[in-house]
Amino acid sequence: MKSFVALSLAALALATPIPVSNEPAILAERQTQTGITSTEFTRLGCRPVIFLFARGSTEVGNMGSTVGPPTSNGIKAAQGVTNVVTEGIDYPALLSTNFLPGGADLGGISEMKRLLNKAATDCPKSKIVVAGYSQGAALVHRAVEDMSEAVKNKIVAAVTYGDTQRLQDGGRIPNFPESKTLVICNTGDLVCLGQLTILAPHLDYERRVPEALAFINAKLAA
């Protein structure tokens, strides 16, 4: 009787699947697609690539719904989803803050500076990419220009779409290498000419995302 029970238990053990950890699959799923909100850097910590993005005025979430998500997803497609963490800058993105000195929300500038310093300090082996659209582009200007040389050396690429500070800052980010900067402005976008007038060209930057990705991924590969 004892031998029968032992054999039965052995058979049951063989028939029962051994649990396999699906943590890698869960991690990949969490990082696969970037939507209108992303806090991966805060939640998941360091990865080889840290992407910080500032959305435009009135856009939803902290990534927006235009160029932010596809830029993030394009970096992930090229670099590997588990090699990239994306973080949108949390700030109100009000229209009124476009008229402040420097063209961006002061709290948003501070938040981007905080994240840049944290990324450079906590993740010394990571490469940092920054980007912004419209007011978010101004936020990139104002945050990056004040970073220490040590932090700026960690930033391999900075991309701005529909840059409200293009004219004011001479087509570059002050105190930051032009070779690591790509300013993307559509023909007819008056925002890029120093006028806060929104016309159709300012709302047509999704088609320029491949251009940004080619630049970013080349810098990451260098």
Side-chain angles (χ1 to χ4, degrees):
M1 180 65 178
K2 289 182 180 179
S3 61
F4 174 76
V5 172
L7 287 172
S8 297
L9 291 173
L12 179 61
L14 290 173
T16 303
I18 298 173
V20 177
S21 173
N22 62 348
E23 182 61 28
I26 293 172
L27 179 60
E29 175 62 26
R30 286 175 180 169
Q31 293 180 260
T32 298
Q33 292 295 314
T34 301
I36 62 171
T37 297
S38 184
T39 57
E40 289 174 345
F41 176 49
T42 295
R43 292 187 296 107
L44 303 175
C46 303
R47 293 294 184 274
V49 179
I50 298 169
F51 177 50
L52 303 179
F53 181 80
R55 73 196 191 284
S57 300
T58 75
E59 283 203 284
V60 294
N62 64 15
M63 291 293 295
S65 59
T66 55
V67 295
T71 302
S72 172
N73 289 327
I75 297 171
K76 289 181 177 183
Q79 305 299 322
V81 292
T82 58
N83 290 325
V84 181
V85 282
T86 293
E87 186 100 1
I89 307 304
D90 282 319
Y91 80 110
L94 303 175
L95 287 170
S96 60
T97 48
N98 283 279
F99 297 95
L100 292 174
D105 180 90
L106 298 179
I109 296 169
S110 295
E111 176 63 2
M112 191 168 211
K113 287 180 178 180
R114 183 188 72 81
L115 288 169
L116 283 168
N117 280 315
K118 181 175 175 59
T121 301
D122 293 358
C123 312
K125 295 182 179 180
S126 298
K127 296 179 178 181
I128 303 171
V129 176
V130 295
Y133 165 54
S134 195
Q135 183 178 179
L139 199 148
V140 170
H141 280 245
R142 303 289 78 87
V144 172
E145 68 182 357
D146 288 338
M147 288 293 98
S148 68
E149 289 302 315
V151 174
K152 285 188 280 192
N153 288 338
K154 296 287 185 183
I155 303 172
V156 300
V159 174
T160 61
Y161 299 93
D163 194 333
T164 64
Q165 299 299 295
R166 176 175 176 263
L167 179 69
Q168 296 89 324
D169 288 341
R172 59 172 297 175
I173 296 171
N175 308 320
F176 188 73
E178 291 185 66
S179 62
K180 297 197 291 186
T181 305
L182 178 64
V183 176
I184 299 176
C185 276
N186 287 335
T187 300
D189 186 355
L190 296 182
V191 163
C192 292
L193 300 177
Q195 302 177 42
L196 293 176
T197 302
I198 307 301
L199 300 177
H202 189 65
L203 307 175
D204 187 29
Y205 280 100
E206 289 181 70
R207 64 185 177 85
R208 306 290 298 271
V209 169
E211 182 181 342
L213 290 173
F215 178 81
I216 290 168
N217 287 315
K219 294 301 181 184
L220 288 169

